[in-house]
Amino acid sequence: MCSSDLKLRELSKFGVVTDVSSFNLPPQAWTYAKNCRFKSGSIERGPVLRRIPVTLSNTEPRYIQANTPTSGFDTIYIGYLDGTIYELASQVETDVSISGYTPADSDTNWTGCQLGGVNYINRPDRVPWFKTTAASDFATLTNWTGTWRANILRSCNSVLCAFGITKGSNVYPTMIKTSSIGYTGTVPASWDETDPTQNAYENTLSDMQGGITEAQTLGNNMIVYGYNEAWMMQPVTSTDIWQVHRIFNDAGCINANCAVEVEGKHFVFGPTDIYMHDGSSKKSISDSVVRRHIFDNLDASKTNRCFVVYDRARREVRFNYVSGDEYLDFATGGGCNRCAVYYVPEGTWTFDDLPYIYSGTVANIDQTETWATIQPTWDESGSTWLDLDSGLRKSVLLLGEVDVAAGVSASVYAVDNQYTGSIIPYAVDDNATRPALLERGGIDLDELPNVKKLEGYKTLSSIWPQGVFEPDSTLEFAVGGADNYNDEPDLGDAQEYDGSTYKRCDFNTAGRYVRIRITQPSHLWFKLTALDLDLYATGEH
């Protein structure tokens, strides 16, 4: 019998790799993980969801948008299924829908933008709405023909850009319209492309297959996506106003709000791949890593729920979708229940559970708290008093709907750190925030010098973790062995580890293939930096 130690360092090196056979993975790669992060050589507890303490006016929220004023906190708007729009400030909602609005349900995609200090929000079943800083409510977009509709509304190069246009009974799914220049505090004066005194523009992408699914700025340009293609709009100093040309005919965007600009590149949730591009060359960031897992489990009937948010503070891109994968903590419902998280600096993936999320944005929020109002207790709340005074630090905000079975209500959640680095003063929502999970299957240990053949039989006697934990935080380690390639290892009883009381986890697990599962009984913070495995090769079996 030969003994050996498998010393695992650089635990974050590969992150999660679901699409390569576990038997072909290097020892530091993980076959699945959720609600944790891989960075700087370690594995940490992922961010938690802190619920903003406001009772939303409706149980069916659909859209959240943040607009940045010249000073102070961001303005946050929430759109509902019935079409109403509320402004959220100091934990209070105020109805800012257009005067006399009659609620009407529509589950189409909302889009919006800010131009010259004016806020714009669009839903495809009606005229776009706008709100100036001086106005108390939104109003229907002036200088826009009342029988027109747009699927997507953005701003670029000082003008409004509308995509997928309906004019009365005529539908033009590949039409682009841009307005005249929008000056500070005012709505653009014209959309008339025939008026030579204005710089309004209209063009139909006749060669595009299907309709426009998304449009987002990239620097000073606008990238227009179809389902399987992408076009670039570039401003030009001529009577053409915009120059439009196709850049890809083999990659598109799955839905509105599914492309985001990061460090001069677009990160795009496509219909069959997740990729990035700089306007000329593109590269898949999911292929041979997590692509098959994501798209094999994505609910194709709910692709209109997909959206993407960039978390600047954590430098990660969050791809949100409705999944039916085996690791779900929230069943398939209306909103997104899964987030695939891409860490830009190291190019690694992991996953998060989502409590039926419909939309996300990035904002600083007005956090008015005192010793008397902080809830439920100071120890259970995040951030510091200095964070309450700061309008600079922004968080990802997620908008979720009610689900009685899951114990979640219609809520605005702030994505925040659990321990050090927290900036949100509210308590963690225990129902919305799920524990972390790490799993590594298919460990055949043929990398070890004393295991010469796959048929070599191995016994895992103990695991020595190295980690840092906040008070009361623990992890549970379970291992299992299997004799045959296609057998599912039978995981034994879990062993607790907290970095203090328990120094190692003892097992007596044997087999040709070994599986390790690390689970967390809470949402508390931890950081794993290394794992040592005590192994014994006991010959062939």
Side-chain angles (χ1 to χ4, degrees):
M1 181 175 70
C2 299
S3 65
S4 181
D5 293 330
L6 179 60
K7 300 180 183 300
L8 298 182
R9 304 297 185 267
E10 298 184 81
L11 297 182
S12 70
K13 186 174 183 179
F14 300 101
V16 175
V17 181
T18 58
D19 293 359
V20 176
S21 171
S22 59
F23 303 100
N24 293 327
L25 291 176
Q28 301 100 321
W30 297 84
T31 49
Y32 195 78
K34 64 176 185 175
N35 307 319
C36 56
R37 294 294 184 266
F38 298 83
K39 58 181 62 178
S40 303
S42 301
I43 303 172
E44 298 183 35
R45 163 71 218 193
V48 295
L49 298 182
R50 299 186 187 274
R51 184 177 178 275
I52 308 301
V54 56
T55 301
L56 298 185
S57 61
N58 191 306
T59 60
E60 296 177 305
R62 289 295 184 268
Y63 180 68
I64 186 168
Q65 177 176 311
N67 296 114
T68 302
T70 55
S71 63
F73 291 98
D74 293 341
T75 303
I76 299 171
Y77 298 112
I78 298 174
Y80 290 92
L81 178 66
D82 65 5
T84 55
I85 297 177
Y86 282 71
E87 182 176 327
L88 177 61
S90 300
Q91 307 170 21
V92 176
E93 268 196 320
T94 303
D95 190 347
V96 291
S97 306
I98 64 172
S99 177
Y101 175 69
T102 301
D105 289 356
S106 177
D107 236 340
T108 51
N109 285 301
W110 300 66
T111 55
C113 60
Q114 185 177 26
L115 179 63
V118 180
N119 301 319
Y120 298 88
I121 295 181
N122 180 68
R123 201 174 74 166
D125 64 319
R126 66 194 187 198
V127 173
W129 293 5
F130 79 97
K131 184 178 180 296
T132 64
T133 54
S136 58
D137 297 329
F138 277 86
T140 55
L141 183 58
T142 51
N143 308 318
W144 172 276
T145 301
T147 57
W148 294 355
R149 303 290 183 268
N151 290 334
I152 298 169
L153 187 68
R154 305 293 188 205
S155 63
C156 181
N157 202 40
S158 299
V159 302
L160 289 179
C161 305
F163 304 88
I165 307 300
T166 297
K167 295 183 176 182
S169 60
N170 298 313
V171 180
Y172 305 95
T174 64
M175 179 178 284
I176 301 167
K177 285 191 70 68
T178 68
S179 71
S180 59
I181 292 176
Y183 297 100
T184 301
T186 63
V187 172
S190 176
W191 292 82
D192 185 0
E193 76 282 359
T194 67
D195 186 346
T197 66
Q198 303 291 334
N199 65 333
Y201 169 87
E202 180 178 294
N203 185 19
T204 299
L205 303 181
S206 301
D207 293 336
M208 176 177 276
Q209 303 297 312
I212 296 172
T213 59
E214 169 67 310
Q216 291 284 356
T217 57
L218 180 61
N220 293 323
N221 303 318
M222 177 70 75
I223 307 298
V224 183
Y225 295 93
Y227 198 68
N228 292 304
E229 57 193 294
W231 297 64
M232 179 180 286
M233 292 172 54
Q234 293 177 297
V236 294
T237 55
S238 71
T239 55
D240 290 335
I241 303 172
W242 295 92
Q243 181 185 74
V244 184
H245 63 279
R246 181 159 45 198
I247 54 175
F248 307 127
N249 60 5
D250 58 352
C253 196
I254 197 169
N255 190 40
N257 305 311
C258 278
V260 64
E261 183 176 359
V262 180
E263 299 175 357
K265 298 180 179 64
H266 266 193
F267 286 72
V268 187
F269 200 155
T272 59
D273 194 9
I274 296 177
Y275 63 99
M276 65 179 182
H277 72 88
D278 59 5
S280 58
S281 61
K282 60 181 172 64
K283 175 186 177 181
S284 173
I285 59 173
S286 66
D287 195 34
S288 299
V289 186
V290 295
R291 186 180 68 85
R292 281 191 303 151
H293 175 80
I294 291 172
F295 290 96
D296 285 353
N297 290 290
L298 188 150
D299 187 337
S301 69
K302 294 184 174 67
T303 57
N304 66 324
R305 304 296 187 218
C306 298
F307 69 95
V308 179
V309 177
Y310 177 50
D311 188 334
R312 294 176 181 85
R314 295 176 181 83
R315 299 189 66 190
E316 56 189 35
V317 187
R318 301 173 60 90
F319 299 89
N320 308 276
Y321 59 103
V322 180
S323 177
D325 67 69
E326 62 180 301
Y327 296 97
L328 291 175
D329 267 21
F330 297 96
T332 301
C336 297
N337 58 0
R338 176 66 72 224
C339 178
V341 183
Y342 181 75
Y343 184 45
V344 176
E346 298 184 21
T348 54
W349 287 93
T350 187
F351 295 91
D352 281 351
D353 288 307
L354 292 179
Y356 310 111
I357 300 298
Y358 276 86
S359 182
T361 191
V362 178
N364 55 27
I365 57 175
D366 186 356
Q367 305 170 121
T368 305
E369 296 290 346
T370 67
W371 280 113
T373 63
I374 198 78
Q375 294 183 1
T377 68
W378 182 254
D379 286 342
E380 295 173 308
S381 300
S383 83
T384 67
W385 291 120
L386 290 177
D387 292 315
L388 303 187
D389 293 332
S390 174
L392 299 178
R393 303 181 70 177
K394 299 195 177 191
S395 301
V396 170
L397 302 182
L398 301 176
L399 187 66
E401 72 172 353
V402 65
D403 187 275
V404 175
V408 294
S409 59
S411 302
V412 178
Y413 303 102
V415 178
D416 191 32
N417 290 348
Q418 158 59 21
Y419 198 41
T420 58
S422 171
I423 63 173
I424 303 298
Y426 308 126
V428 175
D429 188 319
D430 287 318
N431 292 327
T433 302
R434 309 310 301 156
L437 167 70
L438 288 155
E439 193 165 270
R440 178 59 162 94
I443 304 175
D444 53 29
L445 306 178
D446 58 356
E447 302 91 352
L448 298 180
N450 61 330
V451 181
K452 302 298 184 182
K453 299 180 180 180
L454 289 176
E455 61 184 315
Y457 208 64
K458 308 99 185 175
T459 297
L460 175 59
S461 63
S462 60
I463 297 177
W464 292 78
Q466 185 180 70
V468 182
F469 293 75
E470 75 165 293
D472 300 323
S473 177
T474 61
L475 292 176
E476 295 178 349
F477 287 73
V479 300
D483 290 346
N484 299 310
Y485 184 92
N486 292 315
D487 289 349
E488 184 74 11
D490 183 17
L491 294 172
D493 294 336
Q495 303 292 311
E496 190 175 42
Y497 174 73
D498 64 1
S500 178
T501 307
Y502 311 99
K503 297 179 177 59
R504 70 181 187 189
C505 301
D506 293 321
F507 308 96
N508 190 27
T509 298
R512 293 167 59 212
Y513 305 104
V514 178
R515 181 180 186 179
I516 300 174
R517 175 179 289 175
I518 306 172
T519 55
Q520 181 188 31
S522 69
H523 62 255
L524 299 180
W525 183 82
F526 67 86
K527 181 178 182 179
L528 279 179
T529 59
L531 295 172
D532 284 356
L533 280 63
D534 289 338
L535 298 160
Y536 297 89
T538 58
E540 300 175 359
H541 179 75

